[in-house]
Amino acid sequence: MQVLEIKELITHYSTTEGTVRAVDDVSFDVGDGEIVGLAGESGCGKTTVALSIMRLLPQGGRIIKGKVLLEGEDLTSKTDSEMNRIRWKKISIVFQGAMNALNPVLRVGDQISEAIVEKEMTSKAEALKRVNELFELVGLDTSRIKDYPHEFSGGMRQRVMIAMALACNPRIVILDEPVTALDVIVQGKILDLVKDLQKKLNLAVILITHDLSVIAEICDKAAIMYAGKIVEYGQILDIYKNPKHPYTEGLISAFPSITGEKKHFVSIPGEPPNLINPPSGCRFHPRCSYAMDICHKKEPPSVDVGEGHISACYLAEAGFKSSR
């Protein structure tokens, strides 16, 4: 069963320099109890996808086209008041850098209980009881509920933010770069927590990151974004073992492996395009060592190369072979 379906989503930002085509015809699904990784370089549109889903786009941003179906309901057609009732209760988000967004002068437990009181229309006592349950769920000592944010480490604050996102039992949670500012050991513990919560609560998760090693650790599927588009989508093992897009190949080659023979890192030349005036044809062609004449002229279609593994590359159907 699909909890969330993104269909042909297009989101633009109006700026003084022109229209930024931040998300351009993006489609993917998130199944019940499934973790889908959304990966790509900074500026590729990952966070804009999340903000579009949540209907929290900043000033100048607007959804031009597409549908966001949450359990069959199209969120793009909801009013602001309707979305306020849906957020937290059905879908929630932990923003990038959110662990630094806690109010420094309010106790952590009070900050979580305030959200529960507002969304669930319950008493403060009932809300605090729920906070105790949430602390236990995310592996925090319940004796710390009355502490202030500065008394928590970075990893503990991230657990608090995850607890807050789970406060009203949503079906799906979006985690935007949840481990970026944490050291490697703490990153592993947070990822283990996410995987554990997914299993315990049958929770659907969208995990946004630029780090493919994070995707490989806990995700069931991966959607690889480049310049506002999804260029490859499929089961995580298929993506890693048999990438069908040169950009995916480049991302994987740029990360070290602790197993197998030693190899030189291979960086992707150039930089992502300006989305006010993106290149014609395939947006990756200026940086692609496999680019053909048609790649410069015509945008490649997304093709299924087997078992739901989708690639937007002219070489995909011909059997793109990674040179890794």
Side-chain angles (χ1 to χ4, degrees):
M1 176 183 173
Q2 302 301 338
V3 177
L4 187 72
E5 299 171 80
I6 315 299
K7 295 182 178 291
E8 300 175 350
L9 181 65
I10 298 176
T11 301
H12 290 175
Y13 292 110
S14 297
T15 72
T16 54
E17 296 179 2
T19 299
V20 179
R21 306 175 201 178
V23 174
D24 196 352
D25 198 21
V26 162
S27 299
F28 66 95
D29 302 329
V30 184
D32 201 22
E34 188 174 65
I35 303 180
V36 175
L38 193 58
E41 294 169 283
S42 296
C44 71
K46 306 184 300 293
T47 296
T48 298
V49 169
L51 295 176
S52 299
I53 292 169
M54 297 295 297
R55 292 277 308 279
L56 291 173
L57 288 165
Q59 187 174 5
R62 68 189 191 281
I63 296 173
I64 304 298
K65 180 188 172 186
K67 293 183 177 181
V68 177
L69 302 177
L70 177 60
E71 297 183 314
E73 291 187 82
D74 187 5
L75 301 186
T76 65
S77 65
K78 299 294 183 184
T79 65
D80 289 343
S81 61
E82 287 173 331
M83 280 304 302
N84 282 335
R85 289 192 291 271
I86 289 171
R87 294 187 200 105
W88 292 67
K89 291 179 72 68
K90 288 189 176 183
I91 184 169
S92 61
I93 184 170
V94 177
F95 292 104
Q96 186 173 354
M99 66 180 180
N100 297 317
L102 290 165
N103 190 323
V105 299
L106 292 180
R107 299 178 193 275
V108 165
D110 290 338
Q111 294 187 56
I112 300 175
S113 64
E114 182 181 26
I116 298 171
V117 169
E118 180 184 340
K119 294 294 181 179
E120 299 285 15
M121 305 295 288
T122 188
S123 68
K124 183 67 178 289
E126 284 295 317
L128 286 173
K129 181 180 177 183
R130 173 64 177 157
V131 173
N132 272 273
E133 295 171 356
L134 289 166
F135 262 52
E136 290 179 353
L137 187 64
V138 300
L140 290 172
D141 190 332
T142 55
S143 67
R144 305 292 305 275
I145 285 173
K146 293 185 178 181
D147 287 352
Y148 290 92
H150 73 270
E151 298 177 278
F152 289 80
S153 67
M156 292 169 71
R157 276 180 277 151
Q158 192 64 285
R159 289 174 186 263
V160 169
M161 297 308 301
I162 292 172
M164 192 177 291
L166 297 174
C168 299
N169 297 304
R171 288 293 312 281
I172 181 168
V173 173
I174 302 172
L175 301 174
D176 191 356
E177 300 280 8
V179 297
T180 296
L182 305 174
D183 65 60
V184 175
I185 301 299
V186 178
Q187 280 187 20
K189 291 180 179 179
I190 294 297
L191 293 177
D192 287 344
L193 170 65
V194 173
K195 191 70 176 176
D196 185 51
L197 292 172
Q198 177 243 345
K199 290 178 179 178
K200 282 182 180 177
L201 306 176
N202 195 35
L203 190 67
V205 177
I206 297 176
L207 178 66
I208 297 174
T209 182
H210 64 276
D211 188 340
L212 285 194
S213 63
V214 170
I215 297 280
E217 185 76 20
I218 65 169
C219 291
D220 302 298
K221 293 180 181 177
I224 309 298
M225 282 194 74
Y226 182 76
K229 292 181 174 289
I230 288 181
V231 296
E232 189 161 6
Y233 175 67
Q235 296 291 329
I236 192 65
L237 193 59
D238 290 341
I239 296 285
Y240 268 82
K241 295 292 186 182
N242 193 20
K244 292 294 185 181
H245 195 283
Y247 180 62
T248 309
E249 177 194 58
L251 288 180
I252 295 171
S253 297
F255 281 89
S257 172
I258 61 173
T259 62
E261 61 181 289
K262 294 181 180 179
K263 295 181 179 179
H264 290 290
F265 296 146
V266 181
S267 63
I268 301 173
E271 59 185 16
N274 183 342
L275 293 182
I276 293 177
N277 185 28
S280 59
C282 174
R283 293 185 178 181
F284 187 60
H285 85 255
R287 307 174 70 187
C288 181
S289 59
Y290 301 95
M292 305 175 290
D293 286 344
I294 192 172
C295 304
H296 296 248
K297 301 170 184 175
K298 188 176 179 182
E299 185 178 330
S302 294
V303 295
D304 192 327
V305 294
E307 299 182 355
H309 188 168
I310 295 167
S311 173
C313 178
Y314 283 111
L315 292 174
E317 282 187 301
F320 172 76
K321 296 292 185 182
S322 171
S323 61
R324 288 188 298 126

